[in-house]
DNA sequence: ACACTGACCTGCGAGC
DNA sequence: TGCTCGCAGGTCAGTG
């Protein structure tokens, strides 16, 4: 389940692996993966080079010569860089062919990932209704408090809302709320200014620690593992049974349709 | 305008 | 052993 830190790791890794590679052919084995016509997708991308690598929320943005190639990994998407003579898993759905038998292969067991092409001058600030990046200074205590005071949804649901802040998924939402000592089910409108400040601080803290941890996997990167971050590397509550802080039993509750882990003793 | 639900997918584990 | 069922989760369309 790649979230912001994993996507960031993938972007940085791919930059090292395929920068300036030219696409000489594309094989689309599962057309629904492509937003729009596969014919246009191939026609526009063949002959283009991977020039720059960006991330917006959980989206990977490949800057090509004349277009932006946008890729979302959803739950299980992975990129592999392999030789075209290596056997190909049937979970590989899109293949970008480079020179010298080199390929970028998109692997996705559940076929949830999507790719789309946008014009190079497209405004990405609002695309897919994405909210601000967690590391932007506009994501601050004032913003969080003002949004929260008019919302009745649980805090967890708000953190997962990509138009509130982009890049947080189920795992890090649980970890951030644990670090804040706030229950995932707590109503947004009941938080204090101090809670809002904590949400900002710990969102950045948890995400940047995870990016740091994911970054270490770049060094141990092997093509057989795919280009992916090490998620769940340092979870304190998510999927845990016992609280590492107070040894109380961790509770699991469905909030907003997602399983949410929290310590009823540490989180109020 | 806001809030909630189901569909999209496949693999895996529990229960019978 | 082999089957069915439910769950995992990010996003978006559809409904209330």
């Amino acid at each position: 389940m790649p979230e912001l830190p994993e996507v960031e790791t993938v972007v940085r890794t791919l930059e090292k692996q395929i920068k300036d590679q030219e696409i000489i052919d594309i094989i689309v084995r599962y057309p629904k993966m492509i937003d729009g016509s596969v014919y246009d997708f191939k026609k526009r991308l063949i002959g283009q080079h991977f020039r720059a690598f960006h991330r917006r929320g959980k989206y990977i943005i490949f800057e090509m010569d004349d277009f932006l190639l946008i890729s979302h990994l959803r739950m299980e998407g992975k990129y592999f860089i392999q030789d075209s003579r290596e056997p190909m898993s049937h979970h590989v759905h899109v293949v970008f062919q480079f020179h010298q038998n080199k390929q970028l292969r998109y692997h996705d067991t559940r076929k949830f990932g999507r790719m789309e092409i946008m014009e190079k001058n497209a405004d990405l600030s609002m695309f897919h209704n994405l909210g601000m990046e967690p590391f932007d200074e506009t994501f601050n205590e004032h913003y969080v408090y003002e949004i929260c005071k008019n919302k009745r949804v649980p805090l967890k649901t708000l953190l997962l809302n990509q138009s509130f802040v982009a890049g947080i998924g189920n795992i890090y939402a649980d970890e951030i709320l644990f670090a804040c000592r706030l229950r995932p089910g707590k109503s947004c409108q009941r938080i204090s200014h101090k809670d809002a400040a904590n949400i900002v601080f710990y969102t950045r803290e948890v995400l940047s620690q995870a990016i740091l941890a994911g970054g270490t996997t770049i060094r141990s990167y092997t093509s057989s593992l795919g280009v992916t971050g090490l998620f769940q590397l340092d979870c304190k509550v998510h999927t845990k049974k016992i609280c590492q802080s107070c040894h109380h039993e961790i509770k699991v509750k469905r909030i907003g349709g997602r399983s949410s882990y929290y310590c009823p003793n540490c989180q109020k």
Side-chain angles (χ1 to χ4, degrees):
Chain A
M1 296 132 253
E3 303 182 27
L4 186 151
E6 290 75 38
V7 177
E8 185 70 32
T9 302
V10 170
V11 166
R12 292 181 190 181
T13 308
L14 287 177
E15 178 165 22
K16 289 184 181 159
Q17 304 280 328
I18 60 164
K19 187 169 162 55
D20 295 324
Q21 289 283 338
E22 182 186 358
I23 299 174
I24 59 169
D25 196 13
I26 300 173
I27 303 161
V28 177
R29 311 208 299 178
Y30 182 70
K32 284 176 79 175
M33 200 123 270
I34 310 299
D35 188 38
S37 121
V38 172
Y39 176 82
D40 286 344
F41 183 81
K42 291 169 73 164
K43 191 176 163 191
R44 290 165 110 178
L45 288 179
I46 290 173
Q48 300 271 310
H49 302 74
F50 285 86
R51 295 302 189 191
F53 301 76
H54 313 281
R55 178 194 59 73
R56 175 83 175 92
K58 299 174 202 170
Y59 291 83
I60 299 168
I61 299 165
F62 299 108
E63 195 179 324
M64 315 302 291
D65 298 297
D66 304 315
F67 302 101
L68 301 176
L69 168 59
I70 317 247
S71 166
H72 197 302
L73 307 172
R74 296 285 184 100
M75 255 72 77
E76 308 200 345
K78 288 180 180 66
Y79 280 103
F80 291 82
I81 294 136
Q82 289 178 312
D83 189 288
S84 51
R85 290 162 294 196
E86 285 181 72
M88 185 141 47
S89 154
H90 79 283
H91 293 305
V92 170
H93 305 300
V94 183
V95 180
F96 299 92
Q97 180 70 52
F98 302 138
H99 293 284
Q100 275 114 35
N101 295 318
K102 196 171 171 177
Q103 291 183 334
L104 174 68
R105 297 175 175 179
Y106 179 72
H107 180 286
D108 192 340
T109 36
R110 283 156 84 179
K111 299 180 173 173
F112 267 23
R114 291 294 177 265
M115 292 182 197
E116 63 183 308
I117 292 182
M118 290 181 77
E119 296 302 323
K120 204 159 180 179
N121 58 5
D123 178 16
L124 294 183
S125 63
M126 281 301 287
F127 98 119
H128 289 273
N129 268 324
L130 288 185
M132 52 188 67
E133 288 289 321
F135 296 102
D136 280 0
E137 39 187 82
T138 47
F139 181 66
N140 55 37
E141 174 192 334
H142 178 74
Y143 168 75
V144 172
Y145 189 81
E146 287 302 308
I147 294 282
C148 280
K149 78 177 186 191
N150 299 316
K151 295 232 181 232
R152 273 180 293 274
V153 292
L155 279 173
K156 169 82 180 263
T157 303
L158 183 71
L159 286 181
L160 292 176
N161 183 344
Q162 302 298 300
S163 65
F164 167 67
V165 62
I168 300 172
N170 200 36
I171 297 169
Y172 292 116
D174 281 356
E175 295 301 314
I176 290 163
L177 290 170
F178 178 77
C180 293
R181 298 286 187 257
L182 289 166
R183 289 213 186 181
K186 183 166 181 159
S187 170
C188 288
Q189 62 185 356
R190 292 183 55 236
I191 69 162
S192 65
H193 287 281
K194 178 70 183 157
D195 292 331
N198 279 336
I199 288 170
V200 173
F201 177 82
Y202 287 110
T203 294
R204 293 183 179 144
E205 186 71 10
V206 167
L207 294 179
S208 51
Q209 284 299 316
I211 291 170
L212 224 57
T216 63
T217 67
I218 292 178
R219 268 176 266 131
S220 59
Y221 164 80
T222 62
S223 63
S224 62
L225 292 175
V227 181
T228 177
L230 266 192
F231 36 84
Q232 295 160 29
L233 188 74
D234 198 20
C235 285
K236 298 274 194 293
V237 277
H238 193 83
T239 70
K240 299 290 177 192
K241 297 246 186 289
I242 300 292
C243 176
Q244 294 173 30
S245 172
C246 75
H247 307 293
H248 203 283
E249 193 180 347
I250 298 291
K251 286 214 174 231
V252 193
K253 195 174 171 185
R254 279 192 91 73
I255 297 170
R258 306 285 147 66
S259 52
S260 305
Y261 295 76
Y262 67 97
C263 171
N265 187 41
C266 294
Q267 293 170 261
K268 302 297 178 192

